[in-house]
């Protein structure tokens, strides 16, 4: 390879590396509306049900009434990931009681950042909010 060929090769290599590096930078800074709000406020509002045992319910403890359940535990792992992603180990978690009739609207309006409960994932609901991966499947028989 001639001197000019080597120069062109390294120029092209640099351009490709810069392209991927810029993609990584933009991916890191483009948090979307919910994560941006959480980053800005230093607080995440976790919506939960008070009586959907075993997924989301209230239990009396040393600190008063505290959310519990399988969905709540999953949300705590999500919060750990958000803390890491945002570099905010001090991220404050605020539990927010929700009722079945308004839980999706609370998420859609940004009052709750995440719902920690059991909500059936339907196409109509997908038009309102985003869903996580399915972690529980049930079938009703008559």
């Amino acid at each position: 390879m001639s001197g000019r060929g080597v120069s062109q090769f390294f120029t092209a290599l640099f351009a490709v590396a810069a392209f991927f590096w810029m993609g990584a930078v933009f991916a890191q800074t483009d948090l979307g509306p919910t994560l941006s709000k959480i980053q800005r406020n230093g607080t995440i509002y976790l919506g939960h049900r008070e009586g959907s045992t075993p997924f989301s319910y209230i239990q009396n403890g040393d600190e008063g009434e505290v959310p519990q359940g399988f969905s709540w535990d999953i949300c705590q792992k999500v919060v750990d990931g958000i803390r890491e992603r945002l570099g905010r180990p001090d991220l404050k978690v605020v539990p927010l009681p929700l009722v079945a009739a308004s839980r999706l609207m609370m998420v859609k309006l940004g009052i709750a950042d995440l719902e920690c409960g059991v909500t059936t994932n339907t196409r109509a609901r997908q038009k309102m909010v985003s869903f996580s991966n399915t972690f529980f499947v049930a079938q009703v028989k008559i």
Side-chain angles (χ1 to χ4, degrees), residues 23-101:
V25 168
F26 285 121
Q28 187 74 356
T29 58
D30 182 24
L31 298 174
T34 302
L35 287 178
S36 293
K37 182 185 94 166
I38 294 167
Q39 171 77 330
R40 186 173 55 253
N41 297 336
T43 304
I44 184 168
Y45 293 89
L46 298 182
H48 65 88
R49 301 288 301 279
E50 295 183 313
S52 292
T53 307
F55 297 99
S56 181
Y57 58 95
I58 294 293
Q59 185 172 15
N60 288 323
D62 295 337
E63 300 174 15
E65 293 184 336
V66 293
Q68 298 289 312
F70 185 64
S71 298
W72 184 258
D73 292 343
I74 291 172
C75 281
Q76 296 309 303
K77 296 296 182 186
V78 171
V79 169
D80 290 344
I82 291 171
R83 283 183 170 129
E84 186 176 326
R85 168 80 191 268
L86 299 180
R88 297 287 307 255
D90 62 333
L91 188 65
K92 182 180 175 187
V93 175
V94 177
L96 182 64
L98 302 176
V99 295

Side-chain angles (χ1 to χ4, degrees), residues 110-128:
I111 297 167
D113 297 313
L114 187 63
E115 183 209 355
C116 306
V118 178
T119 300
T120 304
N121 183 350
T122 65
R123 289 180 194 224
R125 289 176 172 173
Q126 288 174 6
K127 293 177 183 176
M128 291 179 62

